[in-house]
Amino acid sequence: SQVLKTWVGQCPASGHCPTKDEEYGNLPPARRVERDMNRTEIHAVMAQQDGVITRTQALRCGMSSTSVSRTVATGEWVTLVPGVYLRSDRERTAGVELRAAVYGAGAEAVAWGPSAAWWHGLLDHPPARHYVTVPHHRIRSCTRSTRVRRRDLHWKDTVVVRSLPVTALPLT
């Protein structure tokens, strides 16, 4: 796979950029190289998720927290909810909004009810409000556009459809 290196700072005036051996030497943090940031993998994740990526996914692909912040600051990505981003060249569709609601609710969150029914293809139109289930111990409040239900679900009650966790059909 294609691995790109991005710079947190600038190369010195001499034009010498640190090699992999030098990257964790005596260089100041502003001159360190990000390790193995895989743009191809990042774009593949976003392509599977309607142009959406979470901060955690970006970090797993090798981006640093600084790079994520810089990508948002330059306008390449737009923040949907804290920790969930959309490529700026992608449309903010109902599917993108549902992904933001579920991904933004954290690990183990799933779409349920009308949201899951729509995602499964049982409804022709998306619901006006998103329905998200989070584990019982998680404190997450409802918003104008999202109804949050706190409930522990058995793994057999959830499935992943088009890279989005949703309740399985019998529970939907």
Side-chain angles (χ1 to χ4, degrees):
S1 69
Q2 178 184 5
V3 177
L4 303 175
K5 302 288 184 186
T6 60
W7 291 93
V8 175
Q10 298 292 323
C11 291
S14 68
H16 171 74
C17 296
T19 65
K20 194 166 191 146
D21 295 330
E22 296 171 314
E23 79 184 11
Y24 291 106
N26 293 326
L27 293 173
R31 290 260 166 82
R32 292 189 183 163
V33 174
E34 241 181 88
R35 295 192 78 160
D36 301 326
M37 185 179 84
N38 190 329
R39 281 271 184 195
T40 303
E41 187 177 346
I42 290 168
H43 290 292
V45 169
M46 294 179 99
Q48 291 175 3
Q49 299 178 168
D50 301 320
V52 176
I53 193 164
T54 67
R55 184 176 203 82
T56 300
Q57 290 170 332
L59 295 175
R60 285 184 186 149
C61 289
M63 285 187 88
S64 68
S65 186
T66 302
S67 284
V68 172
S69 298
R70 185 176 50 250
T71 304
V72 173
T74 62
E76 186 178 339
W77 293 353
V78 176
T79 302
L80 296 170
V81 297
V84 182
Y85 313 100
L86 175 67
R87 282 179 52 129
S88 60
D89 63 348
R90 298 297 295 263
E91 188 178 340
R92 199 170 178 149
T93 63
V96 165
E97 294 292 339
L98 179 57
R99 286 183 189 280
V102 174
Y103 297 157
E108 300 179 50
V110 300
W112 68 279
S115 293
W118 174 66
W119 201 255
H120 279 292
L122 302 175
L123 300 176
D124 292 332
H125 302 286
R129 194 171 188 196
H130 300 297
Y131 294 79
V132 179
T133 296
V134 298
H136 194 265
H137 68 275
R138 183 165 305 138
I139 307 283
R140 188 82 186 168
S141 59
C142 295
T143 65
R144 235 177 1 144
S145 62
T146 305
R147 173 148 185 250
V148 177
R149 174 177 71 170
R150 291 177 37 217
R151 178 179 177 189
D152 293 327
L153 296 173
H154 192 277
W155 66 269
K156 292 179 182 178
D157 292 330
T158 64
V159 294
V160 176
V161 178
R162 297 187 318 277
S163 302
L164 184 73
V166 297
T167 53
L169 282 172
L171 196 57
T172 297

